[in-house]
Amino acid sequence: MKKILMTAVAAIGFAGAAFADPLEGIWQTAKDDNGNFGFVQVAPCGAALCGTLIKSFDTNGNEISSNFTGRNIISETVAEGGGSYSGKIYSPDRDKTYTSSLELSGDRLAVSGCVFGICRSGGTWLRVQ
């Protein structure tokens, strides 16, 4: 009986890993207006995906402190199919939240967003992990 229970628990654990969304993981952002970049960890948050800033770096790649560490950069993000996602994205350098459009292709994520009809490219993010 104990073996059956352990097998069932392991199967459920592996099934959860098999259904992880391809966007989940750690992403290096493109450089912002100040030349800084960060690592954003994308994970489920309710029925959507969110991305939290976990580290920040200066233009030379040295880790720096940031008031935005721990803040959701990506929120309310859902898969649209074919590697496309929509949701919201916060830009710390401009202190604005945009309606986002994300396009996943392998380990690259093309990021863009619009607010009040003004759109901005967030560049290409690279998968770190």
Side-chain angles (χ1 to χ4, degrees):
M1 186 67 155
K2 187 175 180 181
K3 270 187 170 178
I4 293 171
L5 180 60
M6 292 302 285
T7 303
V9 169
I12 291 169
F14 290 132
F19 293 116
D21 191 281
L23 190 60
E24 288 182 49
I26 298 175
W27 294 88
Q28 178 180 318
T29 68
K31 291 187 176 184
D32 66 14
D33 289 346
N34 303 311
N36 300 328
F37 64 96
F39 285 177
V40 173
Q41 183 168 20
V42 177
C45 58
L49 293 166
C50 294
T52 305
L53 182 66
I54 58 171
K55 289 185 182 182
S56 296
F57 301 90
D58 65 16
T59 57
N60 298 317
N62 299 312
E63 190 171 347
I64 57 174
S65 65
S66 170
N67 294 334
F68 301 103
T69 301
R71 180 171 179 151
N72 274 349
I73 302 299
I74 296 173
S75 61
E76 303 175 33
T77 300
V78 294
E80 300 289 331
S84 295
Y85 294 81
S86 63
K88 303 224 181 262
I89 190 161
Y90 175 73
S91 176
D93 60 334
R94 298 206 178 165
D95 192 29
K96 289 194 181 352
T97 300
Y98 297 83
T99 299
S100 67
S101 175
L102 310 174
E103 294 292 328
L104 179 63
S105 179
D107 288 337
R108 302 174 83 69
L109 183 65
V111 177
S112 61
C114 298
V115 63
F116 299 121
I118 300 170
C119 298
R120 174 182 184 206
S121 170
T124 300
W125 295 11
L126 304 173
R127 186 184 301 276
V128 174
Q129 181 181 345

